Amino acid sequence: MSDRDVVLGKIRRALSVDGGDVGRRAVVVARLENAPRGIVPERGQVTGEARIELFATMAEKVSATVTRVTDRVDIPRVVTEFLRDHNLPASLRMGDDPLLNDLPWSVTPIDISHGPSGGSDPVGISHAIAGVAETGTLVLTSGTDNPTTLNFLPETHVIVVRAEDIAGDYETIWDMMRERCGERELPRTVNFITGPSRSGDIEQKLLLGAHGPRRLHVVVVG
């Protein structure tokens, strides 16, 4: 037996069930195929330009900075300006995301590295599959296009999101992912990022960068 079988076997014995329980299996299948929608707050029920503005406002409220460009070819320019303005090294680590890889980085002084972060990269850049306006949150999925390590290890994280991918609420995001990926092919990991990493555990004093990037910059395209 594999370690997985041992763990699941212990759980089944504790619940007095077995893996062949047709009734329990039917409940799980029904839950996966008919995922119930949660309550959508009024704040998330915005459309058009108001939705993009709400996203930027909420992101800035949690200490992120936001820049908007009309075309993706402007991304290298605004990222270069961001690094210069914050006295950061002219270097970026990214995955294999087509939106980022196809940009004219060669016209900038930025040194580009590819692949997961090993923890020594000062700045990482990722492409979010979506944004959530009601909380200013970015949605990133795991994979070689955007390695999850970039979400946690560099001290500064730059995230690019297309304006058309910003939804008003979380329920719309899950609907979008199910439509794109299918119920049984969702990403292994989905990270919801709202502002820089922070903690108030010690004496209730807010500390940025406690468990991840201390600086988050968002580039909205479109």
Side-chain angles (χ1 to χ4, degrees):
M1 295 177 66
S2 67
D3 291 340
R4 179 176 183 274
D5 292 331
V6 171
V7 172
L8 293 178
K10 290 181 178 179
I11 295 173
R12 291 189 183 105
R13 286 193 296 274
L15 297 174
S16 298
V17 299
D18 61 65
D21 190 322
V22 177
R24 291 174 62 84
R25 185 175 294 274
V27 170
V28 173
V29 172
R31 175 64 174 77
L32 291 174
E33 294 181 349
N34 302 284
R37 290 175 61 85
I39 296 174
V40 177
E42 183 177 356
R43 187 173 65 195
Q45 300 176 33
V46 290
T47 60
E49 185 64 23
R51 183 167 57 207
I52 311 304
E53 292 176 356
L54 176 62
F55 171 82
T57 298
M58 299 306 293
E60 289 171 346
K61 278 188 176 181
V62 290
S63 305
T65 52
V66 181
T67 299
R68 190 168 181 185
V69 297
T70 55
D71 194 287
R72 69 188 188 96
V73 297
D74 294 322
I75 294 173
R77 174 181 59 80
V78 297
V79 171
T80 300
E81 292 172 355
F82 170 78
L83 297 179
R84 183 185 63 238
D85 292 346
H86 290 82
N87 197 30
L88 293 168
S91 64
L92 286 175
R93 178 167 288 275
M94 66 176 71
D96 299 326
D97 190 273
L99 183 145
L100 299 177
N101 279 340
D102 293 342
L103 294 174
W105 297 105
S106 60
V107 301
T108 74
I110 299 177
D111 179 40
I112 303 294
S113 300
H114 293 271
S117 175
S120 60
D121 304 291
V123 187
I125 185 169
S126 302
H127 171 209
I129 67 163
V132 186
E134 65 169 291
T135 54
T137 298
L138 294 143
V139 185
L140 292 101
T141 55
S142 59
T144 56
D145 284 357
N146 293 280
T148 298
T149 52
L150 296 180
N151 301 341
F152 299 101
L153 298 183
E155 285 210 342
T156 298
H157 196 188
V158 178
I159 302 181
V160 176
V161 62
R162 298 188 302 177
E164 63 193 71
D165 292 331
I166 297 176
D169 60 274
Y170 286 87
E171 297 307 313
T172 301
I173 296 300
W174 286 115
D175 290 342
M176 179 193 72
M177 282 200 287
R178 292 186 184 100
E179 183 178 346
R180 288 184 183 179
C181 306
E183 288 286 355
R184 300 181 185 280
E185 297 181 5
L186 289 172
R188 185 182 184 91
T189 304
V190 179
N191 290 127
F192 291 88
I193 298 176
T194 308
S197 171
R198 65 187 65 214
S199 174
D201 294 347
I202 302 174
E203 297 182 355
Q204 298 183 343
K205 293 182 179 179
L206 187 62
L207 176 67
L208 295 182
H211 308 294
R214 66 176 65 249
R215 186 182 291 108
L216 174 64
H217 184 59
V218 184
V219 180
V220 179
V221 182

